[in-house]
Amino acid sequence: MSLLIIVLAGTISTVVAQVGVGTKPEKGAVMYLDGTRKMLDEKWTYWEGPRLAATLPIKWIVVKDPVGKGSAVNSNDPTAAGGKYGSADIVTKKAFRDFRLHVEFLISKPGGNSGVYLQNRYEIQVLDGDSTKHGMGAIINESESPYHAYNGVGKWNAYDIVFRAARFNNGTLTEKAMVTIYFNGKKVHTNHPINQVWGGPNSGIDGGNDGGKGITDTPGGLKLQAEGHDVLYRNIWIKELDLKNADTDF
């Protein structure tokens, strides 16, 4: 976790900022993935997109944490072999609008590929070796990759995110979705608007709607992508918010 040093009246006080690997759930947050099979089955399911080929129960497997204690969940679903995203992606059974998210991931081998989808729409990329706008930590195709903040293969990484859903008036989009992201304790995107869903109908909600630009006022779950790679996940928690103003900075 990141540490913030505060000097008050000649004394030094250390405050643990709520970002970074190992961050515990905030008050009011709910744990969605603790690395156990029980929680995986209780709170997640396969996303029923047009390319779904996997069948329940979820075939993502629970594995021993390779660098720490406890367990994690491996996204390498056999159905997604060869990079068939959308065929075995998993999504929370609960749907969300505005929220604070913490998610930790570990890429086991060079080139490992997955993705974290906010509202099952907007991908925050998980891709080793790519520092382009399609690469690690990017709001995919809409921001630069903060590759400098990546801890690398075989190490745990953390995204800390505040997300505000798109706003509508009588079905018309009035405010775009917005996000602020910390990557391993470093603020890398601040109040960044998100324009569309990328990747087509196999990518997420509204992906096939007007080329991904036809965003609708439908809440969506948190989705994790299976692309046939050994990418592990653990310590995922979400705190629901109600952000009246277009401001996600924290």
Side-chain angles (χ1 to χ4, degrees):
M1 290 179 287
S2 295
L3 296 178
L4 178 64
I5 309 299
I6 300 176
V7 180
L8 293 173
T11 64
I12 298 178
S13 176
T14 302
V15 178
V16 180
Q18 295 299 301
V19 292
V21 174
T23 296
K24 296 179 180 180
E26 293 182 355
K27 184 178 180 181
V30 175
M31 182 66 73
Y32 279 87
L33 196 68
D34 61 358
T36 66
R37 183 79 226 180
K38 183 174 184 290
M39 187 168 288
L40 178 65
D41 289 334
E42 282 182 353
K43 296 189 176 181
W44 300 77
T45 189
Y46 284 120
W47 173 52
E48 296 183 1
R51 193 188 272 175
L52 176 65
T55 57
L56 293 170
I58 294 171
K59 305 304 187 297
W60 295 32
I61 61 172
V62 173
V63 297
K64 183 181 181 299
D65 188 328
V67 295
K69 297 179 181 179
S71 57
V73 176
N74 190 340
S75 66
N76 193 359
D77 192 300
T79 305
K84 285 179 137 183
Y85 67 89
S87 65
D89 298 347
I90 64 170
V91 64
T92 56
K93 295 176 182 178
K94 182 174 177 59
F96 303 96
R97 292 189 183 276
D98 306 343
F99 55 84
R100 158 83 160 93
L101 165 69
H102 176 84
V103 54
E104 297 182 15
F105 64 89
L106 182 150
I107 297 177
S108 301
K109 302 170 186 174
N113 193 358
S114 182
V116 175
Y117 285 73
L118 312 179
Q119 266 201 335
N120 194 1
R121 282 186 177 87
Y122 313 108
E123 182 181 6
I124 311 304
Q125 181 65 286
V126 174
L127 177 56
D128 176 73
D130 191 336
S131 58
T132 70
K133 285 190 173 183
H134 192 79
M136 179 66 74
I139 303 164
I140 199 162
N141 298 330
E142 297 201 21
S143 77
E144 299 297 330
S145 163
Y147 205 85
H148 63 279
Y150 175 42
N151 285 336
V153 171
K155 298 179 181 179
W156 284 105
N157 295 269
Y159 289 149
D160 286 282
I161 295 170
V162 167
F163 171 81
R164 184 177 187 265
R167 287 335 198 228
F168 296 79
N169 185 9
N170 295 324
T172 300
L173 179 69
T174 56
E175 296 178 70
K176 295 177 182 179
M178 178 179 288
V179 68
T180 292
I181 302 176
Y182 287 79
F183 188 11
N184 292 325
K186 301 177 178 69
K187 188 183 288 188
V188 293
H189 305 299
T190 306
N191 281 337
H192 199 295
I194 312 178
N195 294 298
Q196 69 171 87
V197 177
W198 297 88
N202 296 315
S203 185
I205 297 173
D206 298 330
N209 190 7
D210 190 20
K213 296 181 174 65
I215 303 300
T216 58
D217 191 14
T218 306
L222 177 71
K223 187 175 72 177
L224 304 177
Q225 191 176 57
E227 288 233 42
H229 294 260
D230 292 314
V231 179
L232 313 184
Y233 288 95
R234 72 175 189 189
N235 195 18
I236 297 178
W237 52 263
I238 297 173
K239 180 179 180 179
E240 293 187 78
L241 304 173
D242 183 11
L243 302 176
K244 302 299 185 185
N245 299 320
D247 183 6
T248 58
D249 195 13
F250 71 114

